Amino acid sequence: MKTSSVKKELSEKWLLLAVLLSNTASAMIWPVTTLYMTGSLHQSYTSAGLVLMVGALISILGSFVGGRLFDRWDAHKALIIACSIATVAAVGLIVWNGWPEFAIMIWLLNFGGGLISTLVNAYATTVNGKKTRVVFNNIYIVLNVGVVFGTLSVGYIFDYGFTWLMVIASALYCLLLLISILVFNDPNQIVVVTSDNQPKIAEESDLSATKFKITPLLAWIGALLFITYLSYILWETIMAPHMRSLGLPTRNYADLWVINGVTIIVFQKFISNWANRHPYRISVILGGVIFASSFFFMIFAKEFWQLVLVFELLTIGEMLESPQVPAWVAQVTSPAVAGQAQGFVSMMISSGRVVGPIYAGLMMDNGLMNQLFLSVFGVMLVVLAGLYWISIRGVKPSN
């Protein structure tokens, strides 16, 4: 009896739809977490900060677990479980949104979100017919479309009640769960077709043979992710009060994020087309330098138009760096550890988001705003120098 083995493939369009749904739903929840806790639940800002910090730590755990499940178990079942956890948490926020139930549901959502993020990125490395970096560029664009949709929804719906936001977010997670059940598959499996056209599922025996190891190059990439997102979280935490201290209205802060999202949606294709013609180290390190320089210029920005220019500088650096990094990691690691490799990316991002608010708070409490900007600028330049040195020594990047 003759047999043939055919790899089950996932269409990129379904992957991008999953990214859109998960990030739109998430962006309808995280912007109002602090607002709801302090305004409706009458908790302190310290309590809100602790909830967010614990949530980020739980997200790191979710990323770690998601990577292991993708590589060593059944990626399809893992994604279904992840989407189910997120759906249950979102629905739970409709019913149990008092204190402390609200915090518990948010943490459950963080765990599900960490799982989903890592699993989706790992799935992106399995899409055939396109370069991995192109797939991640498209994910980055769609991710930001979801953030724009979600945050705009918050602006229009939150005044009608927190519950309505959660109802819509729950519906999006339910749709994501349905898609994960019907469309996704386990990329670690092959379909064995016999001569009588009867398919059988067989595991690829060599997928568990390779262990994920943090090489010097991966360590420097991880350091860059850590300091990048430690810096980026400053815009989500301290920039609003900083702008108020400059005498600018709160609406200007919201305007910056709209401009950020629109810039990414409109120009990402042009920037990614340039980046795709160059080695990863060029686009990532150039993007990192531009991103870092924005914090140096923040010291001198006092007017709104100046802040817009600085934020646009940060956005350009982000567009060059962020979508290229997970693709670079996928290139320098074995497909057999794709889940753990992308979990490493998610974990370093979340780690930066955990430390960033704490570090920023300590600096602000001591009146060291300019020193805060200078410190992240300096550390990022050091990390970028180390990454460039190790990349030209140990790894020959390819396009």
Side-chain angles (χ1 to χ4, degrees):
M1 178 182 293
K2 295 182 178 181
T3 63
S4 61
S5 299
V6 181
K7 189 85 169 182
K8 294 180 70 178
E9 296 183 6
L10 173 67
S11 172
E12 185 192 19
K13 66 181 180 181
W14 291 112
L15 182 72
L16 296 179
L17 180 58
V19 172
L20 179 64
L21 291 172
S22 62
N23 283 278
T24 301
S26 176
M28 296 180 72
I29 298 172
W30 63 258
V32 299
T33 300
T34 299
L35 183 62
Y36 182 75
M37 284 187 62
T38 56
S40 300
L41 299 181
H42 309 294
Q43 299 299 309
S44 66
Y45 281 98
T46 300
S47 296
L50 286 172
V51 168
L52 293 174
M53 184 182 73
V54 173
L57 291 171
I58 292 174
S59 180
I60 293 174
L61 175 63
S63 298
F64 174 78
V65 173
R68 304 280 286 191
L69 292 178
F70 186 91
D71 293 333
R72 302 193 176 190
W73 191 50
D74 187 307
H76 186 206
K77 291 178 182 177
L79 183 64
I80 293 173
I81 291 172
C83 294
S84 299
I85 291 172
T87 303
V88 168
V91 173
L93 285 169
I94 301 173
V95 182
W96 301 294
N97 50 31
W99 182 258
E101 298 88 351
F102 176 82
I104 295 171
M105 291 297 106
I106 287 292
W107 292 336
L108 187 62
L109 190 62
N110 285 130
F111 183 69
L115 286 169
I116 292 171
S117 175
T118 294
L119 290 168
V120 167
N121 276 4
Y123 267 105
T125 67
T126 70
V127 174
N128 290 323
K130 284 188 177 181
K131 292 182 178 179
T132 301
R133 68 195 308 172
V134 174
V135 177
F136 276 107
N137 279 325
N138 293 337
I139 285 176
Y140 181 71
I141 295 172
V142 173
L143 182 154
N144 281 279
V145 171
V147 170
V148 170
F149 284 168
T151 51
L152 284 176
S153 299
V154 169
Y156 286 101
I157 300 173
F158 184 73
D159 288 341
Y160 294 97
F162 174 80
T163 300
W164 284 109
L165 276 175
M166 296 307 102
V167 168
I168 298 173
S170 298
L172 293 175
Y173 277 123
C174 284
L175 183 56
L176 176 62
L177 175 60
L178 182 63
I179 290 173
S180 70
I181 293 171
L182 298 179
V183 176
F184 280 74
N185 53 68
D186 185 359
N188 296 336
Q189 292 177 332
I190 55 175
V191 178
V192 179
V193 182
T194 63
S195 58
D196 55 357
N197 291 323
Q198 296 299 315
K200 292 177 63 180
I201 299 296
E203 295 291 335
E204 293 186 78
S205 59
D206 62 339
L207 284 178
S208 60
T210 305
K211 293 184 178 181
F212 176 69
K213 297 179 181 179
I214 299 179
T215 63
L217 176 62
L218 284 176
W220 281 105
I221 292 175
L224 178 61
L225 286 168
F226 176 81
I227 187 60
T228 296
Y229 284 90
L230 182 152
S231 306
Y232 195 84
I233 197 70
L234 301 182
W235 282 93
E236 299 178 14
T237 53
I238 67 165
M239 207 53 66
H242 176 62
M243 289 176 65
R244 284 200 301 270
S245 71
L246 297 175
L248 299 172
T250 304
R251 68 175 181 273
N252 282 165
Y253 178 70
D255 293 339
L256 283 175
W257 285 105
V258 173
I259 294 170
N260 170 265
V262 171
T263 300
I264 291 172
I265 293 169
V266 173
F267 294 107
Q268 180 61 39
K269 272 293 183 183
F270 299 100
I271 289 179
S272 62
N273 286 340
W274 178 89
N276 291 342
R277 294 194 296 269
H278 296 82
Y280 287 112
R281 70 171 184 271
I282 300 300
S283 56
V284 170
I285 293 173
L286 176 61
V289 170
I290 295 173
F291 185 95
S293 67
S294 68
F295 290 93
F296 176 78
F297 291 115
M298 265 302 302
I299 298 171
F300 310 102
K302 306 299 179 185
E303 304 291 336
F304 178 64
W305 67 269
Q306 295 171 332
L307 289 170
V308 169
L309 291 179
V310 169
F311 203 31
E312 286 294 277
L313 196 62
L314 178 140
T315 302
I316 292 170
E318 177 194 359
M319 288 191 288
L320 278 167
E321 177 189 332
S322 292
Q324 299 290 323
V325 171
W328 193 4
V329 170
Q331 184 214 30
V332 299
T333 55
S334 167
V337 292
Q340 293 168 81
Q342 296 306 316
F344 170 74
V345 170
S346 298
M347 289 168 67
M348 296 311 299
I349 291 173
S350 296
S351 297
R353 289 182 170 275
V354 170
V355 177
I358 300 171
Y359 177 61
L362 290 172
M363 297 291 279
M364 286 188 68
D365 287 342
N366 289 281
L368 302 175
M369 180 65 75
N370 288 344
Q371 290 85 343
L372 171 63
F373 295 141
L374 277 175
S375 64
V376 296
F377 168 69
V379 172
M380 189 170 292
L381 288 185
V382 171
V383 171
L384 287 166
L387 178 58
Y388 178 75
W389 176 75
I390 199 69
S391 66
I392 62 174
R393 280 186 75 249
V395 175
K396 182 181 178 182
S398 65
N399 292 327

